[in-house]
Structure formats: C-alpha cells, structure tokens
Amino acid sequence: MNIVFRLLIIVGLIYSCTPKPAENQEKIISEKESSFNPTNYGKPISTISILSYPTAEEAKDSGSEAIVGISINDADKFIHNIIDADEIVLNDKKVQLIIDYPLKKSVIYKLENDKGFSRKDLILAIQEKYKEIYKIEEETAKIKTIPVNNREGLLNRNETDGKFGIWGHDLSDLYLTDIEVYKDYKGLVSLVLYIES
C-alpha cells in the first residue's frame, strides 16, 4: 500500500468517525446523548499525536518510519511501539476524558495524575475506560452483541441498548490516532479523542 493511498484512507476515516463529545460532571462525570460541539470545552490548545514504530513488514508496505494510531483493544500489548511514549504531553494533574464514539450516550471521566500525563498514561487510561464501557454495555443490554461469526453482510457490530448504546463497532475495530486538548476559561482541560474504525 503506498503512503498516499494510506493517507487518503485515514482522512476518510477521520471525517466519517468524527467524535461527538458530551457535557456534565462526576467520576463518570456524565452520560448524555452525543452531539459534538468542541466549544463546550473551551479553546483547543494542542493535539497529541499517537504514532507507532512500524514492524518491518508495515515499514516495507508503507514506506514510512511511523504508523498513525494504536488499537485501543490491544494498546497494552503494543504500548512499547509508541513513539515518545514516556514523554509528558500534559502538565495538568487533572483532566476530563470524553468518550463518545461509538456511543449514543457519551461519558466523561475524571483522570488525575500528580506528575502530569505521558502518552503511555493517556493511552492506557483510554484503553481501561473503553474496556469498562464495553463490559458495562454488554451487562446492561437486552439486545446483545451478535457474534462476528453470526453477522451477515457488513460485519459491523449491531447496536445494543445497554447503558451507553454502542453501535457500529466492536472494541477491536477502534484505533486511537490523536487526542485534542481543550481548555476552558476556568482552566478545565478536556480531552477529545480521534478514533478511526
């Protein structure tokens, strides 16, 4: 796959899977119908890119020295491949993490770390929260997830009616590519995730 083709795919996926944050607050600060409005979070102050060192095969196929994103489901297994994983990318000790894709009801979590946050800290926290969301969804849904082997046509995950209303994608489909950092007039830092699927 050449690099131009790969970039076109990534751009298409980003636009088709644009995150839609929520509002409110507490440990799970809020659960609310998704509707993306970044002005709810203040001004964008930075973007944290998630880049990985490619395997030899990926480097040969892409001709690139870096791969965009990491599988959320397998982040703990491949965290050692993240470029600058231990670099502190946020000096703030408290942030709110917005998870809204692929959910009908967004969730906001508070994250705290006395030393600030590295890419590794953020990626592993995001993985933990996504796994928690998918587990709770399965436990609370009356309409259960159809196993991949039983799906017809598109292999997309069916919509379930649990606490969060997950639709369209299994956890294994989701790749974290960027984290957009916002800060409001009170100094509250919000993290908006860019997820490809």
Side-chain angles (χ1 to χ4, degrees):
M1 223 182 336
N2 73 34
I3 193 73
V4 173
F5 180 72
R6 198 169 225 199
L7 287 173
L8 287 173
I9 290 172
I10 291 169
V11 169
L13 288 170
I14 289 171
Y15 281 103
S16 69
C17 298
T18 300
K20 309 169 203 102
E23 303 173 322
N24 275 351
Q25 301 188 194
E26 59 172 274
K27 169 151 195 237
I28 283 186
I29 300 174
S30 87
E31 299 167 15
K32 183 175 168 115
E33 293 299 316
S34 292
S35 61
F36 183 67
N37 184 355
T39 59
N40 291 345
Y41 308 115
K43 294 183 178 182
I45 59 170
S46 67
T47 300
I48 301 166
S49 297
I50 308 300
L51 299 172
S52 301
Y53 293 110
T55 64
E57 185 177 320
E58 290 169 331
K60 182 181 172 189
D61 289 346
S62 70
S64 177
E65 295 180 11
I67 300 294
V68 176
I70 189 167
S71 165
I72 292 174
N73 192 54
D74 297 326
D76 54 335
K77 295 175 190 162
F78 297 103
I79 198 74
H80 63 278
N81 290 343
I82 293 295
I83 297 171
D84 297 327
D86 294 319
E87 176 189 4
I88 299 296
V89 291
L90 281 175
N91 289 317
D92 300 273
K93 293 170 182 28
K94 295 180 182 181
V95 298
Q96 64 177 15
L97 170 65
I98 294 123
I99 297 183
D100 63 349
Y101 182 81
L103 314 177
K104 288 184 85 174
K105 293 180 182 168
S106 300
V107 185
I108 300 177
Y109 291 97
K110 282 186 182 178
L111 301 180
E112 295 184 23
N113 192 335
D114 289 339
K115 63 179 177 66
F117 295 89
S118 67
R119 280 183 182 82
K120 180 178 180 178
D121 295 331
L122 292 173
I123 291 166
L124 294 177
I126 290 163
Q127 179 189 40
E128 175 188 335
K129 299 306 181 191
Y130 261 101
K131 285 187 172 192
E132 181 180 306
I133 287 168
Y134 272 75
K135 181 177 186 276
I136 291 169
E137 178 73 9
E138 202 59 36
E139 291 171 351
T140 59
K142 292 177 186 154
I143 300 171
K144 297 297 183 183
T145 306
I146 298 170
V148 174
N149 295 340
N150 296 345
R151 297 179 192 171
E152 296 179 10
L154 286 177
L155 296 180
N156 284 1
R157 182 188 189 280
N158 59 299
E159 185 174 327
T160 50
D161 61 350
K163 186 172 183 174
F164 305 107
I166 297 175
W167 57 271
H169 296 289
D170 296 299
L171 183 56
S172 59
D173 296 338
L174 305 180
Y175 282 77
L176 175 67
T177 60
D178 292 291
I179 304 167
E180 190 77 26
V181 182
Y182 290 82
K183 188 176 274 192
D184 70 11
Y185 70 97
K186 295 178 182 176
L188 177 64
V189 174
S190 298
L191 307 179
V192 177
L193 307 179
Y194 283 81
I195 306 293
E196 292 184 16
S197 50

